[in-house]
Amino acid sequence: MNPDGEIRDTFKKLTNVFEMEEEEFFLHYSSKGRSIKTEYLQRCLALTQGLRVPEEELPFSNVYMASVLSKQIPEGALIHLGMSNTVRAWSMFEFPAGVASSGNTGCRGIDGVLSAFLGAALVDSSRLCFCVLGDLTFFYDMNALTNERLGSNVRILLVNDNGGGLMKTSGSAVHQFVGDADADGYLVAKGHFGGRDSGVVRAYAEGLGFEYLSASDKSEFNSVCVRFLTPEITDRPMLFEVFTNDYDERAAFDRMSGIDASAKGKLTQKAKQVLGPKGVRMIKRILRPSE
């Protein structure tokens, strides 16, 4: 618990409280010498890998970029993830060993993502620091880029889908009950800052001394990201603006959230292997209680 002694239980799920310092807690339990079994975890991971959607089947989107870049982030780098679509997209993939990741998820909002990232980059100017964020998150906090101590270790990937893409995904209430047209006009801030590709970000970034990169499709992205992933710190910070659209973003999430019908048999067999006979019987009782 927090050293100030106050119990915090945001989701009202707390069952036990350990009134001690973290060091005392971990020293006590690490000395128990309990073996850690990972067989079930490994089977689940293998099942997950077997259901991965090939990146070439994904529309050009935040999800596609995550599938391509996540495995290529240089060793030792830090990557800071923005909110909403970004953290959802990038959480579907793993980073190489030695890459540290963080984000403002606890804030549950877009405010301060860029500022927090730049603060982390300032702490260690010798370390490559990447930030991935959407256009609303970027514009909310763009004044942070005027910091005169900004280092050349900063790399920003700006996914510009011209609005709050999360609100137009299939599972959102906005998409289900409001519709895209009204959402564009009243809820997702479409057309802000001059629109999707007005050159506003380019002028702003270059005016602040950034190396500006951009892409609007897979071919351009795959070519330009080679420069963006340069493992050495270059003479200037980089800002890579990538233009996507809301329907491709939605389609990408739908593709990653579903299972191809052609893989049904394969999935069934793997699921049975993971769950075991007892688990399969339990699932059947839930789905067909009359049997």
Side-chain angles (χ1 to χ4, degrees):
M1 63 185 296
N2 194 291
D4 65 12
E6 181 179 346
I7 295 178
R8 294 168 173 82
D9 186 14
T10 304
F11 301 104
K12 307 305 178 186
K13 298 292 185 181
L14 189 64
T15 57
N16 298 283
V17 175
F18 296 82
E19 297 188 31
M20 60 186 71
E21 296 291 335
E22 291 98 330
E23 183 179 5
E24 184 180 356
F25 175 88
F26 287 111
L27 283 175
H28 174 77
Y29 282 98
S30 63
S31 65
K32 294 292 184 180
R34 297 170 61 185
S35 60
I36 300 175
K37 298 179 180 179
T38 64
E39 293 179 9
Y40 182 74
L41 171 62
Q42 296 305 319
R43 293 203 303 270
C44 289
L45 291 174
L47 175 61
T48 302
Q49 289 296 326
L51 298 174
R52 291 284 190 196
V53 178
E55 59 191 39
E56 60 270 16
E57 295 182 12
L58 292 169
F60 187 52
S61 59
N62 208 337
V63 174
Y64 172 78
M65 286 178 254
S67 71
V68 173
L69 294 183
S70 59
K71 55 182 175 287
Q72 299 186 61
I73 301 295
E75 183 178 357
L78 165 72
I79 183 164
H80 192 102
L81 301 175
M83 290 296 92
S84 302
N85 267 1
T86 299
V87 73
R88 291 174 69 230
W90 288 71
S91 293
M92 297 177 183
F93 306 94
E94 296 180 1
F95 298 114
V99 172
S101 62
S102 63
N104 286 29
T105 308
C107 298
R108 302 300 298 168
I110 64 174
D111 44 316
V113 170
L114 196 54
S115 296
F117 160 70
L118 294 176
L122 282 168
V123 169
D124 188 354
S125 59
S126 64
R127 183 185 202 182
L128 272 181
C129 295
F130 293 84
C131 180
V132 186
L133 73 176
D135 45 314
L136 288 188
T137 308
F138 174 83
F139 287 126
Y140 189 98
D141 202 18
M142 63 192 295
N143 64 308
L145 293 183
T146 63
N147 191 307
E148 64 178 0
R149 295 177 57 201
L150 203 67
S152 297
N153 61 326
V154 168
R155 308 268 176 93
I156 298 170
L157 175 63
L158 167 56
V159 184
N160 190 343
D161 62 355
N162 192 20
L166 178 68
M167 290 178 276
K168 299 178 76 173
T169 53
S170 297
S172 73
V174 172
H175 175 66
Q176 291 181 348
F177 302 114
V178 177
D180 289 350
D182 286 339
D184 288 342
Y186 302 106
L187 296 168
V188 304
K190 186 174 183 177
H192 59 287
F193 289 92
R196 178 175 174 271
D197 52 2
S198 65
V200 170
V201 174
R202 177 173 193 148
Y204 185 70
E206 291 183 339
L208 293 172
F210 276 76
E211 178 180 346
Y212 176 84
L213 309 167
S214 68
S216 299
D217 56 40
K218 288 184 178 181
S219 178
E220 289 181 348
F221 175 79
N222 292 333
S223 175
V224 176
C225 73
V226 175
R227 172 63 178 169
F228 185 67
L229 292 170
T230 302
E232 297 82 24
I233 294 178
T234 53
D235 59 341
R236 292 186 292 164
M238 295 185 192
L239 194 154
F240 186 10
E241 184 177 18
V242 184
F243 300 102
T244 66
N245 57 66
D246 48 20
Y247 48 86
D248 278 342
E249 292 286 352
R250 181 164 59 224
F253 275 111
D254 289 346
R255 183 71 180 85
M256 288 295 291
S257 301
I259 298 172
D260 193 335
S262 63
K264 184 178 179 181
K266 180 180 178 182
L267 169 64
T268 301
Q269 293 303 316
K270 286 197 173 185
K272 287 181 177 179
Q273 293 173 11
V274 172
L275 295 170
K278 185 182 294 185
V280 172
R281 288 195 297 271
M282 181 182 70
I283 296 297
K284 284 183 177 180
R285 284 198 298 271
I286 294 172
L287 296 177
R288 298 192 292 269
S290 61
E291 294 185 6

